[in-house]
Amino acid sequence: PPAVLIVAAVDMERGRLNASAFVSGHALRIYMKDGRLYIAATQGTPQLLYKAAVKAWDRLLPDVKAKLDLANPLTLYKSLQELLMERGYADDVIEALNSAKVTTATNIYIFDLDGLNIRLRAAAEVPGRLLDQFAIEELDGHLVVATTVASVTFHTTRYILPMPRGEAVVISQDGQPVATIPPPLPPPPPPALYATEGEPSNSVYVLNPDGRIAGALEGLAPGERIYAARLIEKTLYLVTFRQVDPLFAIDLSNPAAPRVLGLLKIPGFSEYLHPVDADRLLGVGAYERGLKIALFDISNPTQPREVSNITATGLHSPVFYDHHAFAYSPELRLAMVPAASWYGAGYVLAVEVRDKLALRAVVNATADRAFFGRDAIYLVGRSSGPAGGVQIWKYTTDPRLVAEARLS
């Protein structure tokens, strides 16, 4: 169903507020830069069905079209459910909808913000789904989005005879059963419409300020999906994965013609990419049911290469799904990567980043976050005590002493 999106601008000094309400899909990602607000909402089954019905309208029988309500995606979805309860329609309707060949898609709402003034500038649509906040960035007034695209096939559940509920009524005469009344059948469940996705591929779209697609690079890594993205100046780095980890370097200097500059294939895959300087990129991800931290040389984007890595078997990291778990200090050239075993034991890997990676310490702490203070590194995690709660650890920031550090 549609969601109500409320965008509010607040003057914190004067205590004034201005809010506007919009009907949209559920907001998935929010990105803002220089007075422009972008909100991405993945299209759900009703929206995808609506697009398919519009495209396949001429293939539907007149009596079918008369029973469908195209006022909006939700009314169409409800009228489709009612139609499919009637015999003889399901197969033909589903076949017609699938002939439209729709794909997963995302709506992007572009707002201009000026003080308390809120203006919807454009509503755009791109094929596919965004992975995370790093897959949507603004570059020189254009919006860059990286998506994983998959074909959509619609299905409906078949009618299954429901089981009787309750007990049979047995009527006896002089102790002998003379009649049995079976329990009534419950009403059949309404037909469920659902969608499945086919083999994915990946795309990069560049949108101009009014939401139109200015340039596109489509069909990247068929059969794989995006696991990590990072825009550095005018080069977008993407990690896709199925069997190996391709790291793509994509040139965005010409918004109308994004192109692949270089490609590196290595075992494992990165779930998070972090620039440590202009020429190097740090990746944290999975490798053979373990953890991998990789250092990439991107000084020549046409030939990205892995120059060093650290792997740990039997570990996974919250960095895989939350980039806030990762911490890096450019001054100390030190990365802190929380990790945990599959059996619950927690650790934090302190990794020095220079020409190569060097493991400086493995801290025994179930931490979810690391912070660099002026005189110490702070770890925040779950307490192992019976009361639970949050626990904070502190230790030295001198990388030369990290290997000998003790928690306090």
Side-chain angles (χ1 to χ4, degrees), residues 4 11 79 89 91 93 95 98 100 115 121 132 156 177 203 246 251-252 277 283 287 300 330 351 381 383:
V4 176
D11 186 332
S79 60
Y89 286 115
D91 291 341
V93 171
E95 182 181 354
N98 286 330
R121 179 169 188 158
D132 57 22
T156 181
S203 300
D251 177 29
L252 299 173
D277 55 41
Y287 175 76
N300 180 3
V351 178
S383 172

Side-chain angles (χ1 to χ4, degrees), residues 154-192:
F154 300 106
H155 310 267
T156 181
T157 53
R158 297 294 180 180
Y159 178 80
I160 300 175
L161 186 65
M163 295 294 293
R165 57 188 178 191
E167 297 182 358
V169 176
V170 179
I171 301 175
S172 300
Q173 180 177 322
D174 297 330
Q176 297 297 321
V178 294
T180 301
I181 303 174
L185 290 175

Side-chain angles (χ1 to χ4, degrees), residues 327-401:
Y328 179 73
S329 169
E331 294 78 17
L332 299 174
R333 297 184 182 181
L334 191 67
M336 304 295 290
V337 181
S341 74
W342 299 106
Y343 303 101
Y347 310 94
V348 177
L349 279 60
V351 178
E352 191 174 9
V353 183
R354 294 188 180 273
D355 293 337
K356 299 284 186 178
L357 300 179
L359 182 64
R360 291 305 183 197
V362 178
V363 182
N364 188 3
T366 307
D368 300 312
R369 297 285 190 274
F371 301 94
F372 288 92
R374 291 183 178 180
D375 60 347
I377 298 173
Y378 297 88
L379 306 180
V380 179
R382 300 176 299 278
S383 172
S384 59
V390 176
Q391 187 168 354
I392 299 177
W393 298 271
K394 171 184 174 182
Y395 67 102
T396 178
T397 58
D398 187 342
R400 295 169 299 178
L401 303 177

Side-chain angles (χ1 to χ4, degrees), residues 8-11 14-19 116:
V10 182
D11 186 332
R14 300 181 182 181
R16 299 171 57 195
L17 176 145
N18 180 36
L116 295 180

